[in-house]
Amino acid sequence: MIFTVAIDGPAAAGKGTIARAVAARFGFRHLDTGLLYRAVGMKGGDPVAAARSLGPADLERDGLRTLEAGQAASRVAVIPEVRAALVDFQRRFARAEGGAVLDGRDIGTVICPEAEVKLYVTASPEVRAHRRWLEVGGEEARVLAEVRERDARDMGRADAPLRAADDALVIDTSELGIDEAVATAIAAVTGRLPRG
Ligand code: CDP
């Protein structure tokens, strides 16, 4: 079975948690596409060359989850040649046999517009910054500033800006517990699975 669940949304909205839960529930593979951009941003040197030569070891280096790596990712993610270099890998992952969940910014709009299920997971900047702050610590005001800066860059770029696909189900996790958000996502997938 070829079946893609596309999960897009801004930083720290809960995409990763929902993606992992959906993948585990249905036995689908999961790709956190943000990790690709984080790895390109942290590799240093020419970002286009870094994207073209990205390998498994780059995705396992330390520090990819830091605020700095998030900023570096969103800076290289505006470069069309960087995005183009990562498209094939993501498309193949999405449409390989067995079912796949991909979370990112442009999965339902650019990488896999034919995805069987599209979710757009969002929450207010304050709620998202608070969640990210619980993970990374430091000063909460700085985390909020970082979230806002990255939102502006991701939504404002010309190539593959962050937006909900027209046919995406929007899940606002501002006032929704993670269990409810996961249950909503699982129900959406269940409703689209082939019967029998
Ligand atoms: O985990 P968090 O939501 O904070 O970020 P992420 O998903 O790891 O993505 C880091 C950055 O990579 C984003 O701010 C985007 O600029 C970029 N990105 C993208 O452009 N397209 C994707 N499909 C995934 C990430």
Side-chain angles (χ1 to χ4, degrees):
M1 175 187 64
I2 291 172
F3 192 98
T4 310
V5 183
I7 306 183
D8 292 305
K15 300 183 301 287
T17 306
I18 294 173
R20 282 188 295 276
V22 168
R25 168 70 179 73
F26 296 100
F28 294 169
R29 289 162 306 115
H30 170 223
L31 179 65
D32 169 2
T33 65
L35 215 52
L36 305 176
Y37 293 90
R38 286 170 182 265
V40 170
M42 295 301 273
K43 210 166 165 180
D46 171 31
V48 177
R52 288 182 181 152
S53 65
L54 203 67
D58 297 314
L59 302 179
E60 272 157 32
R61 61 180 290 163
D62 291 337
L64 292 183
R65 302 279 173 197
T66 60
L67 294 185
E68 290 68 28
Q71 285 289 0
S74 83
R75 275 189 224 107
V76 299
V78 305
I79 304 169
E81 292 83 359
V82 165
R83 307 199 68 83
L86 302 175
V87 164
D88 281 354
F89 174 73
Q90 295 176 82
R91 284 206 178 130
R92 262 185 275 118
F93 190 98
R95 299 314 268 171
E97 185 60 37
V101 183
L102 289 85
D103 69 277
R105 299 291 187 286
D106 62 341
I107 310 304
T109 50
V110 173
I111 298 297
C112 196
E114 70 274 41
E116 282 72 15
V117 176
K118 296 182 191 178
L119 306 175
Y120 188 82
V121 182
T122 188
S124 72
E126 290 76 14
V127 166
R128 291 186 285 117
H130 187 70
R131 284 189 197 138
R132 187 50 48 95
W133 173 73
L134 291 174
E135 291 169 6
V136 300
E139 228 184 290
E140 192 167 347
R142 176 170 169 248
V143 180
L144 177 58
E146 192 271 346
V147 160
R148 287 191 192 281
E149 189 184 328
R150 209 138 59 84
D151 281 0
R153 204 183 285 128
D154 290 348
M155 292 174 186
R157 69 186 175 215
D159 189 20
L162 169 63
R163 65 173 184 83
D166 293 338
D167 50 350
L169 170 67
V170 177
I171 302 178
D172 188 328
T173 65
S174 302
E175 283 165 29
L176 206 60
I178 191 60
D179 291 349
E180 293 162 283
V182 166
T184 304
I186 285 177
V189 174
T190 303
R192 292 300 310 271
L193 282 174
R195 292 176 201 286

